[in-house]
Amino acid sequence: MPFDFRRFDIYRKVPKDLTQPTYTGAIISVCCCLFILFLFLSELTGFITTEIVNELYVDDPDKDSGGKIDVSLNISLPNLHCELVGLDIQDEMGRHEVGHIDNSMKIPLNNGVGCRFEGQFSINKVPGNFHVSTHSATAQPQNPDMTHVIHKLSFGDTLQVHNVHGAFNALGGADRLTSNPLASHDYILKIVPTVYEDKSGKQRYSYQYTVANKEYVAYSHTGRIIPAIWFRYDLSPITVKYTERRQPLYRFITTGSRGQRSLADYSPWGRKESDRTEQ
């Protein structure tokens, strides 16, 4: 009798007339198909969804800015006339500008009693400050009321990205209406350069910042010092970069095929026919 090498076949086929379908097996098979479809759609959704990768490094990202940072300020002083409100800018490079008016607008509030100041200006990339005060007024008021609401304070480009939640407008909504009217307000800002690069490679430059604040009434040998709203800033040497990426195709293929193969090992229709026959 000739030797038959097929005896070494561990997974032998069973004739179809020896197998018997059941309702339980059909239900399990349908459930497994639906679950595999769910896993496939989940993997597909993860593949086409943009991934945001962030990194930190030490550098000045926007070297074409000429050493300038654009600032957008929107603040309301409901108890101070517009003719008294002014913006002053100072820094360690020797800049000292009182009553900055370029790209700024004053909107009267409460029938002219108050004022809303909106301004677009630039600052140098060195420590300094800008402050809202009455210093540029032709005549100083006796008791200027510096209670205020900050609607917006942002630096650089405006980023409207849902997946990036940063402190780009950390002072937005700050309400100091219940403060001492004669008090000065100091906002200490630590500005962090931020770069956002989309899938096309286009970069936008913005700045996040942290803030600490204090409120005080200052005096000198001549009496009480005129209050102001100070924004004192310093720049961090660390840059935060966000990059849009998508998963590579090979990762989607290998992940999906591995998940489907694992499920097939445990599904009734993916098992060997010899296993089903033994049941």
Side-chain angles (χ1 to χ4, degrees):
M1 181 178 180
F3 176 76
D4 190 355
F5 185 75
R6 291 178 297 177
R7 295 180 181 179
F8 295 102
D9 186 3
I10 299 177
Y11 301 102
R12 302 184 180 185
K13 292 185 178 181
V14 179
K16 292 183 178 180
D17 56 350
L18 298 181
T19 61
Q20 180 179 2
T22 63
Y23 287 105
T24 302
I27 294 174
I28 295 176
S29 299
V30 171
C31 291
C32 288
C33 289
L34 294 176
F35 188 56
I36 290 177
L37 178 62
F38 168 75
L39 291 180
F40 173 77
L41 294 178
S42 300
E43 290 290 338
L44 180 63
T45 303
F47 170 70
I48 64 178
T49 301
T50 301
E51 180 184 14
I52 305 296
V53 181
N54 62 77
E55 58 180 313
L56 303 176
Y57 60 92
V58 179
D59 194 11
D60 179 11
D62 191 8
K63 295 182 176 62
D64 298 329
S65 64
K68 303 287 186 180
I69 301 176
D70 294 328
V71 184
S72 178
L73 175 64
N74 190 329
I75 183 172
S76 292
L77 297 92
N79 300 308
L80 195 64
H81 293 279
C82 280
E83 61 266 19
L84 299 175
V85 176
L87 177 68
D88 310 327
I89 306 173
Q90 298 174 314
D91 62 33
E92 293 186 357
M93 292 183 66
R95 181 180 183 182
H96 189 179
E97 185 175 350
V98 179
H100 179 86
I101 58 175
D102 294 339
N103 298 320
S104 62
M105 179 172 53
K106 300 178 184 179
I107 304 172
L109 300 175
N110 303 330
N111 297 321
V113 176
C115 185
R116 179 172 181 144
F117 179 86
E118 299 180 8
Q120 306 281 340
F121 55 96
S122 63
I123 57 176
N124 294 315
K125 291 183 178 180
V126 296
N129 73 80
F130 52 91
H131 52 277
V132 178
S133 68
T134 62
H135 297 162
S136 60
T138 54
Q140 294 298 315
Q142 291 295 324
N143 297 305
D145 188 336
M146 303 307 293
T147 55
H148 60 277
V149 176
I150 301 174
H151 306 289
K152 179 182 180 182
L153 176 60
S154 62
F155 300 86
D157 296 337
T158 300
L159 295 182
Q160 296 180 344
V161 183
H162 297 293
N163 294 335
V164 176
H165 303 283
F168 297 99
N169 185 25
L171 276 175
D175 188 333
R176 301 294 183 266
L177 295 179
T178 59
S179 301
N180 185 344
L182 301 178
S184 291
H185 299 265
D186 261 14
Y187 295 100
I188 314 299
L189 312 178
K190 191 69 171 181
I191 302 175
V192 182
T194 304
V195 182
Y196 187 88
E197 182 177 325
D198 59 21
K199 295 186 296 293
S200 64
K202 181 181 178 181
Q203 293 184 342
R204 285 178 285 174
Y205 304 96
S206 185
Y207 296 84
Q208 304 182 63
Y209 62 93
T210 59
V211 58
N213 69 285
K214 63 179 179 178
E215 175 186 334
Y216 59 94
V217 179
Y219 292 90
S220 68
H221 63 280
T222 59
R224 179 171 50 81
I225 297 177
I226 298 175
I229 305 170
W230 298 81
F231 301 92
R232 307 181 192 273
Y233 61 88
D234 193 7
L235 274 77
S236 169
I238 302 298
T239 295
V240 180
K241 183 178 182 180
Y242 298 97
T243 307
E244 286 187 354
R245 292 179 184 174
R246 281 187 175 172
Q247 295 184 11
L249 182 61
Y250 72 84
R251 182 177 175 184
F252 168 70
I253 295 175
T254 56
T255 303
S257 62
R258 183 170 62 251
Q260 292 181 8
R261 184 169 60 251
S262 299
L263 277 177
D265 293 339
Y266 293 96
S267 62
W269 46 269
R271 291 178 298 181
K272 301 303 178 181
E273 292 183 352
S274 57
D275 298 336
R276 291 201 302 267
T277 305
E278 290 176 0
Q279 294 178 355

